[in-house]
Amino acid sequence: ETVMTQSPAILSVSPGERATLSCRASQSVSNNLAWYQQRPGQAPRLLIYGASTRATGIPARFSGSGSGTEFTLTISSLQSEDFAVYYCQQYSNWPPITFGGGTKVEIK
Amino acid sequence: QLQLQESGPGLVKPSETLSLTCSVSGASIKSTSYSWGWVRQPPGKGLEWIGSMHYSGSPYYNPSFRSRVNMSIDTSKNQFSLTLTSVTAADTAVYYCARRGSPVVAFFWIDPWGPGTLVTVSS
């Protein structure tokens, strides 16, 4: 099973600032990585697939990068609606599909 | 627009069977190459993939659940279902139904998701 590790667990950021979230895979997943946003009380929402392709309707302030075992999600200028939990997910070595433990982006 | 909606009991007794159904609207389960499945999230914790299946193929299950889980698809009702046997308190979670986001089997991001349903295992 491919273990996904996200860091930090909690990221405190001021509105308008840049947020950088990390995701590490225990073995190479190539670029088979997705990112999701989950707001309180809601289902996860797909942000990024293929490590760097934004899903339909996702604002350009969200960007993904990386390949192999190291990945980054960057939010260029945090808006109020961006304060949420973010999960990475690999789909290279499955089953099982595996998720990271999440990074909570909170208001500083 | 494709929409998914989970339904089923919100309370299940320990050792009994959890059964959930996902109703699909806006698309036919059998008209595409997509697969359909389930993800769960214990309260305050992260996401765990349970399994998925295509209407014409065999299911893929997370090995963590393999001995307890079964999925099925009812194309006549445009629904798919999950059963999880011998539940314990550790199975208390929000259960999401979802679709694989790509028709290509190798590309397994998840989109869209249903709103989720909380299932509590308690006597």
Side-chain angles (χ1 to χ4, degrees):
Chain A
E1 175 175 322
T2 301
V3 177
M4 307 301 292
T5 303
Q6 291 186 242
S7 61
I10 300 175
L11 184 62
S12 298
V13 186
S14 299
E17 290 189 339
R18 181 187 196 92
T20 302
L21 290 66
S22 295
C23 175
R24 175 177 293 178
S26 62
Q27 60 184 301
S28 177
V29 299
S30 186
N31 68 335
N32 296 312
L33 185 106
W35 289 94
Y36 301 87
Q37 176 194 67
Q38 187 177 35
R39 296 173 177 145
Q42 296 187 13
R45 176 176 71 140
L46 177 69
L47 296 176
I48 301 281
Y49 60 89
S52 61
T53 302
R54 279 190 302 277
T56 302
I58 301 303
R61 64 180 181 273
F62 291 92
S63 63
S65 63
S67 66
T69 62
E70 301 284 344
F71 300 88
T72 300
L73 175 70
T74 301
I75 312 171
S76 60
S77 176
L78 274 159
Q79 307 297 304
S80 58
E81 62 267 29
D82 300 335
F83 292 95
V85 180
Y86 293 83
Y87 294 95
C88 61
Q89 173 235 319
Q90 69 82 22
Y91 51 92
S92 182
N93 311 310
W94 70 277
I97 300 296
T98 51
F99 295 88
T103 291
K104 181 180 180 180
V105 177
E106 65 175 25
I107 299 175
K108 186 174 182 179
Chain B
Q1 181 183 2
L2 178 65
Q3 291 188 317
L4 309 175
Q5 180 66 56
E6 306 87 353
S7 60
L11 181 64
V12 181
K13 290 183 168 56
S15 81
E16 296 191 345
T17 296
L18 178 159
S19 296
L20 295 173
T21 296
C22 182
S23 298
V24 178
S25 59
S28 171
I29 278 182
K30 62 182 293 187
S31 69
T32 65
S33 300
Y34 294 91
S35 64
W36 309 85
W38 298 88
V39 177
R40 75 178 186 179
Q41 184 173 38
K45 297 189 177 180
L47 301 165
E48 184 175 32
W49 178 75
I50 301 172
S52 68
M53 69 180 300
H54 185 264
Y55 82 92
S56 66
S58 298
Y60 293 96
Y61 297 138
N62 187 327
S64 298
F65 298 95
R66 186 162 286 160
S67 62
R68 299 195 295 136
V69 67
N70 186 64
M71 294 181 185
S72 61
I73 290 181
D74 186 338
T75 56
S76 67
K77 295 181 179 179
N78 220 37
Q79 295 176 335
F80 60 100
S81 299
L82 168 72
T83 60
L84 188 64
T85 62
S86 305
V87 297
T88 70
D91 294 309
T92 294
V94 175
Y95 286 76
Y96 297 100
C97 63
R99 189 195 71 174
R100 190 179 69 213
S102 168
V104 178
V105 172
F107 297 151
F108 207 130
W109 58 87
I110 300 172
D111 182 55
W113 301 60
T117 187
L118 175 63
V119 179
T120 301
V121 178
S122 175
S123 56

